[in-house]
Amino acid sequence: MRAYNYKKNKTKNKFYLFLLGIVVLFCLCFYIFKNNMSTILTYISYPYIYISDFFNNFSSNNKIIEENNELLKENLNLKIELEKQQIEQEEINTLKNLLDLKNVYTNYDLINATVISKNKDYFFNYIIIDKGKDYGILKDSAVVSSNGLIGKVEEVMDKTSLVKLITSDSKISIKIIEDVKIYYGMTLEYKDNKLFLEVDDISLIKEESDVYTTGYGIFPEGIYVGKIKKYNGLLYVAIEDLSNLKYVLVLGNKIND
């Protein structure tokens, strides 16, 4: 009987010690929790903060990417608009220069034309303009741009015409007017936007002198070709880039004829 009571008391004591341990542990945890509340909450909040920051950064990066894409689109649109305005201004300037030419060639019937095609099969020695028989275009008529002579009408159709450019191998009789002096010569060849000339004495010719057709050959007299330049002992006239040519004038019949 005594042994039974001893075992029973021993079990009770263990239970009380276990409860006491739990109470002590609870108090200890409460004490630690109470005095380290901010630290514990900080550690507990780390996963939330990390996940929140991740999604915030992801959203922020997407927003930045979208804003950058919008800025790129705006810059591209501005660039396109600027280039468009520059092209339009160049066309306006070209048309103004062509109008000025009408004051120069007052004794010709003048016909405005637009270049609609460049014939690659002829190595850019020919262009097609949007005027033909319907507009009174005549074969062998001189064709000029705002910078000077560019060629002659080779073939005339109803709606269009084929123009042979001075870049071809045909020679043109020219005269160089320098103050009151006149020097005669011929065109030699075209190369790198330069129309080289042949005269008797190059040393007599000054740069910036005006070059005109003489009237001998396929072109009438007095058509402006360009200004004299010198290069390595050679004379030439600078010709505009005919591959970018857009507007021209066709010189028809002389009004006084």
Side-chain angles (χ1 to χ4, degrees):
M1 188 71 176
R2 288 181 178 178
Y4 172 77
N5 290 332
Y6 174 78
K7 289 182 179 180
K8 187 175 181 181
N9 291 332
K10 188 175 181 180
T11 302
K12 286 182 179 180
N13 290 336
K14 287 182 178 180
F15 176 74
Y16 291 143
L17 286 174
F18 174 74
L19 288 178
L20 179 62
I22 289 177
V23 171
V24 172
L25 180 63
F26 175 79
C27 292
L28 180 64
C29 290
F30 178 77
Y31 175 80
I32 294 173
F33 185 81
K34 181 179 179 182
N35 289 278
N36 296 277
M37 177 72 74
S38 60
T39 304
I40 293 172
L41 290 176
T42 300
Y43 283 112
I44 292 174
S45 64
Y46 274 169
Y48 169 78
I49 293 173
Y50 175 80
I51 294 171
S52 177
D53 286 345
F54 173 81
F55 283 104
N56 286 336
N57 289 335
F58 182 78
S59 177
S60 177
N61 287 337
N62 281 341
K63 187 176 180 181
I64 291 173
I65 291 172
E66 289 176 0
E67 290 176 351
N68 286 338
N69 289 335
E70 287 298 321
L71 287 174
L72 288 173
K73 289 179 182 178
E74 290 179 6
N75 288 336
L76 180 60
N77 290 333
L78 287 174
K79 184 178 179 181
I80 292 173
E81 184 63 28
L82 180 60
E83 290 178 351
K84 182 180 177 182
Q85 291 178 0
Q86 290 175 340
I87 292 172
E88 289 176 350
Q89 187 59 50
E90 289 175 359
E91 291 183 355
I92 290 171
N93 293 336
T94 300
L95 291 172
K96 283 182 178 179
N97 291 333
L98 287 177
L99 287 175
D100 292 337
L101 281 183
K102 289 186 176 182
N103 297 324
V104 175
Y105 298 111
T106 55
N107 55 338
Y108 286 93
D109 287 325
L110 299 176
I111 303 170
N112 295 315
T114 301
V115 178
I116 58 175
S117 177
K118 300 173 182 66
N119 197 324
K120 295 181 180 180
D121 294 334
Y122 293 98
F123 305 100
F124 293 108
N125 286 328
Y126 290 85
I127 59 174
I128 298 174
I129 58 175
D130 65 344
K131 299 293 189 298
K133 292 178 183 178
D134 291 349
Y135 283 85
I137 300 291
L138 301 175
K139 190 175 185 297
D140 292 332
S141 295
V143 182
V144 299
S145 72
S146 57
N147 293 319
L149 179 67
I150 64 158
K152 74 178 184 73
V153 176
E154 181 84 355
E155 186 177 349
V156 184
M157 284 69 74
D158 290 336
K159 305 292 184 183
T160 59
S161 297
L162 183 69
V163 177
K164 185 178 182 180
L165 301 175
I166 56 176
T167 57
S168 64
D169 57 359
S170 60
K171 291 191 175 183
I172 304 169
S173 175
I174 54 97
K175 60 182 177 181
I176 301 167
I177 299 178
E178 183 182 304
D179 298 327
V180 295
K181 296 179 181 178
I182 299 177
Y183 303 95
Y184 292 91
M186 297 286 292
T187 61
L188 284 175
E189 65 174 345
Y190 171 86
K191 185 178 181 181
D192 298 329
N193 294 335
K194 298 180 180 67
L195 184 62
F196 290 95
L197 309 177
E198 180 182 27
V199 296
D200 290 335
D201 193 345
I202 293 177
S203 63
L204 298 176
I205 310 300
K206 295 180 181 179
E207 283 197 292
E208 300 302 316
S209 298
D210 292 322
V211 181
Y212 296 88
T213 56
T214 63
Y216 299 108
I218 58 176
F219 294 105
E221 182 182 3
I223 299 178
Y224 181 70
V225 179
K227 288 188 177 294
I228 287 290
K229 304 290 182 182
K230 289 188 175 182
Y231 173 77
N232 287 345
L234 299 174
L235 293 182
Y236 72 91
V237 172
I239 302 296
E240 65 182 304
D241 186 1
L242 299 180
S243 63
N244 294 324
L245 196 61
K246 189 167 185 180
Y247 302 109
V248 297
L249 279 178
V250 181
L251 307 187
N253 289 325
K254 278 193 172 183
I255 295 174
N256 296 330
D257 286 354

